[in-house]
Amino acid sequence: RKEVEQDPGPFNVPEGATVAFNCTYSNSASQSFFWYRQDCRKEPKLLMSVYSSGNEDGRFTAQLNRASQYISLLIRDSKLSDSATYLCVASNTGNQFYFGTGTSLTVIP
Amino acid sequence: EPEVTQTPSHQVTQMGQEVILRCVPISNHLYFYWYRQILGQKVEFLVSFYNNEISEKSEIFDDQFSVERPDGSNFTLKIRSTKLEDSAMYFCASSTVNSNQPQHFGDGTRLSIL
């Protein structure tokens, strides 16, 4: 059973569109959650942490539903520079980060 | 902005040889990690390190692997007797406290085993 599952996509959206990614995690003991983005052959870069109350950073909004073990990321007004793979991450009570396989996004002019 | 640095950026090694991947974590960070990403696959946890000892490791991190913090700045991953399937991108990461805090990743070492 995968610790973190994501729809791999690809998502191809026009500039200015709103796009949402979903992620589920299997370990109910998971404590912290993050979204990272990864450009082709580059390192994962932190996009945002995900809090129970939901949080927003500019065009990006993250939500956590602990009861459903579900995390989401909403991107509004998509830009060409948003094209990347978005990685959902859950961490347990130890120090392991569990990565999803990532969701590929391409923003089209 | 402080960053995690890794060397070399690309390492080509013959199968069966030993390889050492090097990382300099962010200076005030206390937790250090190694991950690997086989081409086209997800990022996989290898090991975490705190207070000069391994705090957690995955089933991938077998006797072939070891980590060390030889001085106050470097954090190394040694792979003994490399196999073809060790070919991957290896990422080092560090965080201020523990897994409740975001981890900051280096730009990786691409390891190619021939």
Side-chain angles (χ1 to χ4, degrees):
Chain A
R1 185 178 185 186
K2 294 180 182 176
E3 290 278 345
V4 176
E5 297 210 44
Q6 293 182 251
D7 179 352
F11 285 67
N12 299 314
V13 303
E15 264 187 294
T18 295
V19 62
F21 304 138
N22 303 317
C23 165
T24 57
Y25 60 95
S26 62
N27 187 349
S28 58
S30 296
Q31 292 192 327
S32 300
F33 307 91
F34 309 92
W35 283 101
Y36 281 74
R37 68 170 278 167
Q38 186 175 31
D39 294 288
C40 188
R41 295 180 178 255
K42 299 286 190 181
E43 77 275 21
K45 289 189 175 174
L46 178 69
L47 184 64
M48 57 198 305
S49 302
V50 186
Y51 304 117
S52 296
S53 54
N55 48 302
E56 187 173 310
D57 182 2
R59 298 182 293 109
F60 300 86
T61 301
Q63 294 276 355
L64 167 63
N65 184 322
R66 284 191 185 271
S68 303
Q69 296 183 197
Y70 169 95
I71 305 156
S72 65
L73 176 69
L74 183 77
I75 305 175
R76 288 180 298 278
D77 188 23
S78 300
K79 313 272 184 222
L80 296 178
S81 57
D82 293 335
S83 297
T85 296
Y86 289 82
L87 308 176
C88 177
V89 180
S91 71
N92 59 10
T93 52
N95 294 309
Q96 284 202 34
F97 262 24
Y98 292 96
F99 282 81
T101 51
T103 299
S104 173
L105 171 67
T106 300
V107 181
I108 304 163
Chain B
E1 185 177 330
E3 57 182 28
V4 176
T5 56
Q6 289 185 243
T7 54
S9 57
H10 191 190
Q11 174 80 45
V12 182
T13 302
Q14 290 286 335
M15 186 172 62
Q17 297 296 305
E18 175 182 285
V19 65
I20 297 176
L21 310 182
R22 303 180 191 278
C23 169
V24 178
I26 295 173
S27 61
N28 65 338
H29 285 188
L30 300 177
Y31 284 79
F32 315 118
Y33 312 84
W34 282 102
Y35 292 84
R36 78 172 186 191
Q37 186 174 31
I38 296 169
L39 188 64
Q41 298 187 24
K42 68 178 181 180
V43 177
E44 298 175 290
F45 171 81
L46 293 177
V47 66
S48 59
F49 192 86
Y50 170 71
N51 200 26
N52 284 320
E53 60 183 23
I54 291 173
S55 55
E56 198 162 344
K57 60 183 181 179
S58 71
E59 56 272 15
I60 302 170
F61 194 89
D62 59 22
D63 292 342
Q64 182 194 6
F65 294 88
S66 62
V67 290
E68 193 178 33
R69 188 156 163 82
D71 53 43
S73 59
N74 288 287
F75 178 50
T76 62
L77 174 69
K78 182 189 289 186
I79 309 175
R80 286 181 283 275
S81 188
T82 49
K83 308 184 187 73
L84 293 176
E85 54 265 35
D86 294 328
S87 295
M89 190 72 133
Y90 287 80
F91 293 109
C92 174
S94 67
S95 63
T96 52
V97 185
N98 56 22
S99 59
N100 289 327
Q101 297 298 317
Q103 295 177 15
H104 299 267
F105 285 74
D107 55 9
T109 293
R110 181 168 301 283
L111 177 63
S112 300
I113 307 299
L114 304 179

